[in-house]
Coordinates of all heavy atoms in Angstrom, one line a residue:
M255 N -115.2 81.2 -169.0 CA -114.5 81.6 -170.2 C -113.5 80.5 -170.6 O -112.9 79.9 -169.7 CB -113.8 82.9 -170.2 CG -114.8 84.0 -170.0 SD -113.9 85.6 -170.2 CE -115.3 86.7 -170.1
T256 N -113.3 80.2 -171.8 CA -112.4 79.2 -172.2 C -111.1 79.9 -172.6 O -111.0 81.0 -172.9 CB -112.9 78.5 -173.5 OG1 -113.1 79.4 -174.5 CG2 -114.2 77.8 -173.2
R257 N -110.0 79.0 -172.4 CA -108.7 79.5 -172.8 C -108.4 79.4 -174.3 O -108.9 78.5 -174.9 CB -107.6 78.7 -172.0 CG -107.7 79.0 -170.5 CD -106.5 78.3 -169.9 NE -106.6 78.6 -168.5 CZ -105.5 78.7 -167.7 NH1 -104.3 78.6 -168.2 NH2 -105.6 79.0 -166.5
P258 N -107.6 80.3 -174.8 CA -107.3 80.3 -176.2 C -106.5 79.0 -176.5 O -105.9 78.4 -175.6 CB -106.4 81.5 -176.4 CG -106.7 82.4 -175.3 CD -107.1 81.5 -174.2
A259 N -106.4 78.6 -177.7 CA -105.7 77.4 -178.1 C -104.3 77.3 -177.7 O -103.7 76.3 -177.5 CB -105.8 77.2 -179.6
N260 N -103.6 78.5 -177.6 CA -102.2 78.5 -177.2 C -101.9 78.4 -175.7 O -100.8 78.6 -175.2 CB -101.5 79.7 -177.8 CG -102.1 81.0 -177.2 OD1 -102.9 81.0 -176.4 ND2 -101.6 82.1 -177.8
D261 N -103.0 78.1 -174.9 CA -102.9 77.9 -173.5 C -102.5 79.1 -172.7 O -102.3 79.1 -171.5 CB -102.0 76.7 -173.1 CG -102.7 75.4 -173.4 OD1 -103.9 75.3 -173.5 OD2 -101.9 74.4 -173.7
S262 N -102.4 80.3 -173.3 CA -102.1 81.5 -172.5 C -103.5 82.0 -172.0 O -104.5 81.9 -172.7 CB -101.4 82.5 -173.4 OG -102.2 82.9 -174.5
P263 N -103.5 82.6 -170.9 CA -104.8 83.1 -170.3 C -105.4 84.2 -171.1 O -104.6 85.0 -171.7 CB -104.4 83.6 -168.9 CG -103.0 83.9 -169.0 CD -102.4 82.9 -170.0
L264 N -106.7 84.2 -171.2 CA -107.4 85.3 -171.8 C -107.0 86.6 -171.1 O -107.0 86.6 -169.9 CB -108.9 85.1 -171.7 CG -109.8 86.2 -172.3 CD1 -109.6 86.3 -173.8 CD2 -111.2 85.9 -171.9
E265 N -106.8 87.7 -171.8 CA -106.5 89.0 -171.2 C -107.5 90.0 -171.7 O -107.9 90.0 -172.8 CB -105.1 89.4 -171.6 CG -104.0 88.6 -170.9 CD -102.6 89.2 -171.1 OE1 -102.4 90.1 -172.0 OE2 -101.7 88.8 -170.3
V266 N -108.0 90.8 -170.7 CA -108.9 91.8 -171.0 C -108.3 93.2 -170.6 O -107.4 93.2 -169.8 CB -110.3 91.6 -170.3 CG1 -110.9 90.3 -170.7 CG2 -110.1 91.6 -168.8
N267 N -108.8 94.2 -171.1 CA -108.4 95.6 -170.7 C -109.1 96.0 -169.5 O -110.4 95.9 -169.4 CB -108.6 96.6 -171.9 CG -107.7 96.3 -173.0 OD1 -106.6 95.8 -172.9 ND2 -108.1 96.8 -174.2
C268 N -108.4 96.6 -168.5 CA -109.1 97.2 -167.4 C -110.0 98.3 -167.8 O -109.6 99.1 -168.6 CB -108.0 97.7 -166.4 SG -108.7 98.6 -165.0
P269 N -111.3 98.3 -167.4 CA -112.2 99.3 -167.9 C -111.8 100.7 -167.5 O -112.2 101.7 -168.1 CB -113.5 98.9 -167.3 CG -113.4 97.5 -166.8 CD -111.9 97.3 -166.6
Q270 N -111.0 100.8 -166.4 CA -110.6 102.1 -165.9 C -109.3 102.7 -166.5 O -109.3 103.8 -167.0 CB -110.4 102.0 -164.4 CG -110.3 103.4 -163.7 CD -111.6 104.2 -163.8 OE1 -112.7 103.6 -163.8 NE2 -111.4 105.5 -163.9
C271 N -108.3 101.9 -166.6 CA -107.0 102.4 -167.1 C -106.5 101.7 -168.3 O -105.4 102.0 -168.9 CB -105.9 102.2 -166.0 SG -105.4 100.5 -165.6
A272 N -107.2 100.7 -168.8 CA -106.8 99.9 -170.0 C -105.6 99.0 -169.9 O -105.2 98.4 -170.9 CB -106.7 100.8 -171.2
K273 N -105.1 98.8 -168.7 CA -104.0 97.8 -168.5 C -104.5 96.4 -168.8 O -105.6 96.1 -168.5 CB -103.5 98.0 -167.1 CG -102.4 97.0 -166.7 CD -101.9 97.3 -165.3 CE -100.9 96.2 -164.9 NZ -100.6 96.4 -163.4
Q274 N -103.7 95.6 -169.4 CA -104.0 94.2 -169.6 C -104.2 93.4 -168.3 O -103.3 93.5 -167.5 CB -103.0 93.5 -170.5 CG -103.0 94.0 -172.0 CD -104.2 93.4 -172.7 OE1 -104.3 92.2 -172.8 NE2 -105.0 94.3 -173.2
V275 N -105.3 92.7 -168.2 CA -105.5 91.9 -167.0 C -105.8 90.5 -167.4 O -106.7 90.2 -168.2 CB -106.8 92.4 -166.2 CG1 -107.0 91.6 -165.0 CG2 -106.6 93.9 -165.9
P276 N -105.0 89.5 -166.9 CA -105.3 88.1 -167.2 C -106.6 87.6 -166.5 O -106.8 88.0 -165.4 CB -104.1 87.3 -166.6 CG -103.5 88.2 -165.6 CD -103.8 89.6 -166.0
W277 N -107.4 86.9 -167.2 CA -108.7 86.5 -166.7 C -108.5 85.1 -166.0 O -108.7 84.0 -166.6 CB -109.7 86.3 -167.8 CG -111.1 86.3 -167.3 CD1 -111.8 85.1 -166.9 CD2 -112.0 87.3 -167.0 NE1 -113.0 85.4 -166.5 CE2 -113.2 86.8 -166.5 CE3 -111.9 88.7 -167.2 CZ2 -114.3 87.6 -166.1 CZ3 -113.0 89.5 -166.8 CH2 -114.1 88.9 -166.3
L278 N -108.0 85.2 -164.8 CA -107.7 84.0 -164.0 C -108.3 84.1 -162.6 O -108.5 85.3 -162.2 CB -106.1 83.8 -163.9 CG -105.3 83.6 -165.1 CD1 -103.8 83.8 -164.8 CD2 -105.6 82.3 -165.7
P279 N -108.5 83.0 -161.9 CA -109.0 83.1 -160.6 C -108.1 84.0 -159.6 O -108.6 84.6 -158.7 CB -109.1 81.7 -160.1 CG -109.2 80.9 -161.3 CD -108.4 81.6 -162.4
E280 N -106.8 84.0 -159.9 CA -105.9 84.7 -159.1 C -106.0 86.3 -159.3 O -105.5 87.0 -158.5 CB -104.4 84.3 -159.4 CG -104.1 82.9 -159.1 CD -104.6 81.9 -160.2 OE1 -104.5 82.3 -161.4 OE2 -104.9 80.8 -159.9
S281 N -106.7 86.7 -160.4 CA -106.9 88.1 -160.7 C -108.1 88.5 -159.9 O -109.2 88.6 -160.4 CB -107.1 88.3 -162.2 OG -106.0 87.9 -162.9
T282 N -107.9 88.9 -158.6 CA -108.9 89.1 -157.7 C -109.9 90.2 -158.1 O -111.1 90.1 -157.9 CB -108.3 89.6 -156.3 OG1 -107.4 88.6 -156.0 CG2 -109.4 89.7 -155.3
Y283 N -109.5 91.2 -158.8 CA -110.3 92.4 -159.1 C -110.8 92.4 -160.6 O -111.3 93.4 -161.0 CB -109.6 93.7 -158.8 CG -109.1 93.7 -157.4 CD1 -107.8 93.6 -157.0 CD2 -110.1 93.9 -156.3 CE1 -107.4 93.6 -155.7 CE2 -109.7 93.9 -155.0 CZ -108.3 93.8 -154.7 OH -108.0 93.8 -153.4
R284 N -110.6 91.3 -161.3 CA -110.9 91.3 -162.7 C -112.4 91.7 -162.9 O -113.2 91.4 -162.1 CB -110.7 89.9 -163.3 CG -111.6 88.8 -162.8 CD -111.2 87.5 -163.5 NE -112.2 86.5 -163.1 CZ -112.0 85.5 -162.3 NH1 -110.9 85.3 -161.7 NH2 -113.0 84.7 -162.0
P285 N -112.7 92.4 -163.9 CA -111.9 92.8 -165.0 C -111.0 94.0 -164.7 O -110.3 94.5 -165.6 CB -113.0 93.2 -166.1 CG -114.1 93.8 -165.3 CD -114.1 93.0 -164.0
F286 N -111.0 94.5 -163.5 CA -110.1 95.6 -163.1 C -108.7 95.1 -162.8 O -108.6 94.0 -162.3 CB -110.7 96.4 -161.9 CG -112.1 97.0 -162.2 CD1 -113.2 96.3 -161.8 CD2 -112.2 98.1 -163.0 CE1 -114.5 96.8 -162.1 CE2 -113.5 98.6 -163.3 CZ -114.6 97.9 -162.8
C287 N -107.7 96.0 -162.9 CA -106.3 95.5 -162.6 C -106.0 95.6 -161.1 O -105.1 95.0 -160.7 CB -105.4 96.3 -163.4 SG -105.3 98.1 -163.0
S288 N -106.8 96.5 -160.4 CA -106.5 96.7 -159.0 C -107.7 97.1 -158.2 O -108.7 97.5 -158.8 CB -105.4 97.8 -158.9 OG -105.9 99.0 -159.4
K289 N -107.6 97.1 -156.9 CA -108.7 97.6 -156.1 C -108.9 99.1 -156.3 O -110.1 99.6 -156.3 CB -108.3 97.4 -154.6 CG -109.3 97.9 -153.6 CD -110.3 96.8 -153.4 CE -111.2 97.2 -152.2 NZ -112.4 96.3 -152.2
R290 N -107.8 99.9 -156.6 CA -108.0 101.3 -156.9 C -108.9 101.5 -158.1 O -109.8 102.3 -158.1 CB -106.6 101.9 -157.1 CG -106.7 103.4 -157.5 CD -105.2 103.9 -157.8 NE -105.3 105.3 -158.2 CZ -105.6 105.7 -159.4 NH1 -105.8 104.9 -160.4 NH2 -105.6 107.0 -159.7
C291 N -108.6 100.8 -159.2 CA -109.4 101.0 -160.4 C -110.9 100.6 -160.2 O -111.8 101.2 -160.7 CB -108.8 100.2 -161.6 SG -107.4 101.1 -162.4
Q292 N -111.0 99.5 -159.4 CA -112.4 99.0 -159.1 C -113.1 100.1 -158.3 O -114.3 100.4 -158.6 CB -112.3 97.7 -158.3 CG -113.6 97.1 -158.0 CD -113.4 95.9 -157.1 OE1 -112.8 95.9 -156.0 NE2 -114.0 94.8 -157.5
L293 N -112.5 100.7 -157.3 CA -113.2 101.7 -156.5 C -113.4 103.0 -157.3 O -114.4 103.7 -157.1 CB -112.3 102.0 -155.3 CG -112.3 100.9 -154.2 CD1 -111.4 101.2 -153.1 CD2 -113.7 100.6 -153.7
L294 N -112.5 103.4 -158.2 CA -112.7 104.5 -159.0 C -114.0 104.3 -159.9 O -114.8 105.2 -160.1 CB -111.5 104.8 -159.9 CG -110.3 105.4 -159.2 CD1 -109.1 105.4 -160.1 CD2 -110.6 106.8 -158.7
D295 N -114.1 103.1 -160.5 CA -115.3 102.8 -161.3 C -116.6 102.9 -160.4 O -117.6 103.4 -160.8 CB -115.1 101.5 -162.0 CG -116.2 101.2 -163.0 OD1 -116.2 101.8 -164.1 OD2 -117.1 100.4 -162.7
L296 N -116.5 102.3 -159.3 CA -117.7 102.3 -158.4 C -118.1 103.7 -158.0 O -119.3 104.0 -158.0 CB -117.4 101.4 -157.1 CG -118.5 101.4 -156.1 CD1 -119.8 100.8 -156.6 CD2 -118.0 100.7 -154.8
G297 N -117.1 104.5 -157.7 CA -117.3 105.9 -157.4 C -118.0 106.7 -158.5 O -118.9 107.5 -158.3
A298 N -117.6 106.4 -159.7 CA -118.2 107.0 -160.9 C -119.7 106.6 -161.0 O -120.5 107.5 -161.4 CB -117.4 106.7 -162.2
W299 N -120.0 105.4 -160.8 CA -121.4 105.0 -160.8 C -122.2 105.6 -159.7 O -123.3 106.1 -159.8 CB -121.5 103.5 -160.7 CG -121.2 102.7 -161.9 CD1 -120.1 102.1 -162.2 CD2 -122.1 102.6 -163.1 NE1 -120.2 101.5 -163.5 CE2 -121.4 101.8 -164.0 CE3 -123.4 103.0 -163.4 CZ2 -121.9 101.5 -165.3 CZ3 -123.9 102.7 -164.6 CH2 -123.2 102.0 -165.6
A300 N -121.6 105.7 -158.4 CA -122.3 106.3 -157.3 C -122.5 107.8 -157.5 O -123.5 108.4 -157.1 CB -121.5 106.1 -156.0
D301 N -121.5 108.4 -158.2 CA -121.6 109.9 -158.5 C -122.5 110.1 -159.7 O -122.7 111.3 -160.1 CB -120.2 110.4 -158.8 CG -120.1 111.9 -158.9 OD1 -120.8 112.6 -158.1 OD2 -119.3 112.4 -159.7
E302 N -123.0 109.1 -160.3 CA -123.8 109.2 -161.5 C -123.1 109.7 -162.7 O -123.7 110.3 -163.6 CB -125.1 109.9 -161.3 CG -126.0 109.2 -160.3 CD -127.4 109.8 -160.1 OE1 -127.7 110.9 -160.7 OE2 -128.1 109.3 -159.2
S303 N -121.7 109.6 -162.7 CA -121.0 110.0 -163.9 C -121.2 108.9 -165.0 O -121.1 109.2 -166.2 CB -119.5 110.1 -163.6 OG -119.3 111.1 -162.6
H304 N -121.3 107.6 -164.6 CA -121.6 106.5 -165.5 C -123.1 106.3 -165.5 O -123.7 106.3 -164.4 CB -121.0 105.2 -165.1 CG -119.5 105.2 -165.2 ND1 -118.8 105.9 -166.1 CD2 -118.6 104.5 -164.5 CE1 -117.5 105.6 -166.0 NE2 -117.3 104.8 -165.0
R305 N -123.7 106.2 -166.6 CA -125.2 105.9 -166.7 C -125.5 104.9 -167.8 O -124.7 104.9 -168.8 CB -125.9 107.2 -167.0 CG -125.8 108.2 -165.9 CD -126.6 109.4 -166.1 NE -126.5 110.4 -165.0 CZ -127.1 111.5 -165.0 NH1 -127.9 111.9 -165.9 NH2 -126.9 112.3 -164.0
I306 N -126.5 104.2 -167.6 CA -127.0 103.3 -168.7 C -128.0 104.1 -169.5 O -128.9 104.7 -168.9 CB -127.6 102.0 -168.1 CG1 -126.6 101.2 -167.3 CG2 -128.3 101.2 -169.2 CD1 -127.2 100.1 -166.5
S307 N -127.7 104.2 -170.8 CA -128.6 105.0 -171.6 C -130.0 104.4 -171.7 O -130.2 103.2 -171.6 CB -128.0 105.1 -173.1 OG -127.9 103.8 -173.6
G308 N -130.9 105.3 -171.9 CA -132.3 104.9 -172.0 C -133.2 106.0 -171.5 O -132.8 107.1 -171.2
E309 N -134.5 105.7 -171.3 CA -135.4 106.7 -170.9 C -135.2 107.0 -169.4 O -134.8 106.2 -168.6 CB -136.9 106.2 -171.0 CG -137.3 106.1 -172.5 CD -138.7 105.7 -172.6 OE1 -139.5 106.0 -171.7 OE2 -139.1 105.0 -173.6
S310 N -135.5 108.2 -169.0 CA -135.3 108.6 -167.6 C -136.4 108.0 -166.8 O -137.5 107.7 -167.3 CB -135.5 110.2 -167.5 OG -134.6 110.8 -168.3
A311 N -136.1 107.7 -165.6 CA -137.1 107.1 -164.7 C -138.1 108.2 -164.3 O -137.8 109.4 -164.3 CB -136.4 106.6 -163.4
M312 N -139.3 107.8 -164.0 CA -140.3 108.8 -163.6 C -140.1 109.1 -162.2 O -139.8 108.3 -161.3 CB -141.7 108.1 -163.8 CG -142.0 107.8 -165.2 SD -143.6 106.9 -165.4 CE -144.8 108.1 -165.0
D313 N -140.4 110.4 -161.9 CA -140.3 110.8 -160.5 C -141.7 110.8 -159.9 O -142.7 110.5 -160.5 CB -139.6 112.2 -160.3 CG -140.4 113.3 -161.0 OD1 -141.5 113.1 -161.4 OD2 -139.9 114.4 -161.0
E314 N -141.8 111.0 -158.6 CA -143.1 110.9 -157.9 C -144.1 111.9 -158.5 O -145.3 111.5 -158.5 CB -142.9 111.2 -156.4 CG -142.3 110.0 -155.7 CD -142.3 110.3 -154.2 OE1 -143.4 110.8 -153.6 OE2 -141.3 109.9 -153.5
A315 N -143.8 113.1 -158.9 CA -144.7 114.0 -159.5 C -145.4 113.4 -160.7 O -146.6 113.6 -161.0 CB -144.1 115.3 -159.7
D316 N -144.5 112.8 -161.6 CA -145.1 112.2 -162.8 C -146.0 111.1 -162.5 O -147.1 110.9 -163.1 CB -143.9 111.6 -163.7 CG -143.0 112.7 -164.2 OD1 -143.5 113.9 -164.4 OD2 -141.9 112.4 -164.5
I317 N -145.7 110.3 -161.5 CA -146.6 109.1 -161.1 C -147.9 109.7 -160.6 O -149.0 109.2 -160.9 CB -145.9 108.2 -160.1 CG1 -144.7 107.5 -160.8 CG2 -146.8 107.2 -159.5 CD1 -143.8 106.8 -159.9
D318 N -147.8 110.7 -159.7 CA -149.0 111.3 -159.1 C -149.9 111.9 -160.2 O -151.2 111.7 -160.2 CB -148.7 112.4 -158.1 CG -148.1 111.8 -156.9 OD1 -148.2 110.6 -156.6 OD2 -147.4 112.6 -156.1
T319 N -149.3 112.5 -161.2 CA -150.1 113.1 -162.4 C -150.8 112.0 -163.1 O -152.0 112.1 -163.5 CB -149.2 113.9 -163.3 OG1 -148.5 114.9 -162.5 CG2 -149.9 114.5 -164.4
L320 N -150.1 110.9 -163.4 CA -150.7 109.8 -164.2 C -151.8 109.1 -163.4 O -152.8 108.8 -163.9 CB -149.6 108.7 -164.5 CG -148.6 109.1 -165.6 CD1 -147.6 108.0 -165.8 CD2 -149.4 109.2 -166.9
L321 N -151.6 108.9 -162.1 CA -152.7 108.4 -161.2 C -153.9 109.3 -161.2 O -155.0 108.8 -161.3 CB -152.2 108.1 -159.8 CG -151.2 107.0 -159.7 CD1 -150.6 106.9 -158.3 CD2 -151.8 105.6 -160.1
A322 N -153.7 110.6 -161.1 CA -154.8 111.5 -161.1 C -155.6 111.5 -162.4 O -156.8 111.5 -162.5 CB -154.3 112.9 -160.8
Q323 N -154.8 111.4 -163.5 CA -155.4 111.3 -164.9 C -156.2 110.0 -165.0 O -157.3 110.0 -165.5 CB -154.4 111.4 -166.0 CG -154.9 111.4 -167.4 CD -155.8 112.6 -167.6 OE1 -155.5 113.7 -167.2 NE2 -156.9 112.4 -168.3
A324 N -155.7 108.9 -164.5 CA -156.3 107.6 -164.6 C -157.6 107.6 -163.8 O -158.6 107.1 -164.2 CB -155.4 106.5 -164.1
D325 N -157.6 108.3 -162.6 CA -158.8 108.4 -161.8 C -159.9 109.2 -162.5 O -161.1 108.9 -162.5 CB -158.5 109.1 -160.5 CG -157.8 108.2 -159.5 OD1 -157.8 106.9 -159.8 OD2 -157.2 108.7 -158.6
K326 N -159.5 110.2 -163.3 CA -160.5 111.0 -164.1 C -161.1 110.2 -165.2 O -162.2 110.4 -165.6 CB -159.8 112.3 -164.6 CG -159.5 113.3 -163.6 CD -158.8 114.5 -164.3 CE -158.3 115.5 -163.3 NZ -157.6 116.6 -163.9
D327 N -160.2 109.4 -165.8 CA -160.7 108.6 -167.0 C -161.5 107.4 -166.6 O -162.2 106.8 -167.5 CB -159.4 108.2 -167.8 CG -158.8 109.4 -168.5 OD1 -159.4 110.4 -168.6 OD2 -157.6 109.2 -168.9
A328 N -161.4 106.9 -165.4 CA -162.1 105.7 -165.0 C -163.6 105.9 -165.0 O -164.1 106.9 -164.4 CB -161.6 105.3 -163.6
P329 N -164.3 105.0 -165.6 CA -165.8 105.2 -165.6 C -166.4 104.9 -164.2 O -165.9 104.0 -163.5 CB -166.3 104.2 -166.6 CG -165.2 103.2 -166.7 CD -163.9 103.9 -166.4
L330 N -167.4 105.6 -163.9 CA -168.1 105.4 -162.6 C -169.0 104.2 -162.7 O -169.7 104.0 -163.7 CB -168.9 106.6 -162.1 CG -168.0 107.9 -161.9 CD1 -169.0 109.0 -161.6 CD2 -167.1 107.6 -160.7
S331 N -169.0 103.3 -161.8 CA -169.9 102.1 -161.9 C -171.0 102.2 -160.9 O -171.1 103.0 -160.0 CB -169.1 100.9 -161.6 OG -168.3 100.9 -160.5

């Protein structure tokens, strides 16, 4: 990232607590302000509280059903 024209470091909001974090190599946990905020965010992903929107993934039963249907539809040679 580039620095603004006034030579002050770019600052971003911590995704967890919204505290301003300077975007510098010294900011070890950027974009988070601290290890605590970083771990809270990771825990939310692991707990599936955070999700990327989109279609649900297929489970094994859906895949087995599709494979069985494909076998029925395949012409015999």
Side-chain angles (χ1 to χ4, degrees):
M255 293 188 174
T256 60
R257 290 186 179 217
N260 61 6
D261 288 334
S262 62
L264 175 67
E265 290 190 344
V266 296
N267 291 334
C268 173
Q270 191 66 33
C271 70
K273 179 180 173 183
Q274 288 285 301
V275 180
W277 196 271
L278 297 170
E280 297 83 33
S281 302
T282 308
Y283 304 107
R284 69 179 187 254
F286 301 98
C287 66
S288 65
K289 180 82 171 174
R290 178 184 178 277
C291 281
Q292 185 185 49
L293 289 174
L294 285 170
D295 188 74
L296 177 62
W299 283 102
D301 190 37
E302 296 184 1
S303 298
H304 291 331
R305 295 183 180 181
I306 297 173
S307 61
E309 291 184 28
S310 303
M312 296 172 69
D313 63 9
E314 283 188 42
D316 293 334
I317 293 171
D318 291 340
T319 302
L320 285 174
L321 289 173
Q323 184 63 40
D325 287 343
K326 289 180 188 175
D327 292 342
L330 297 174
S331 47

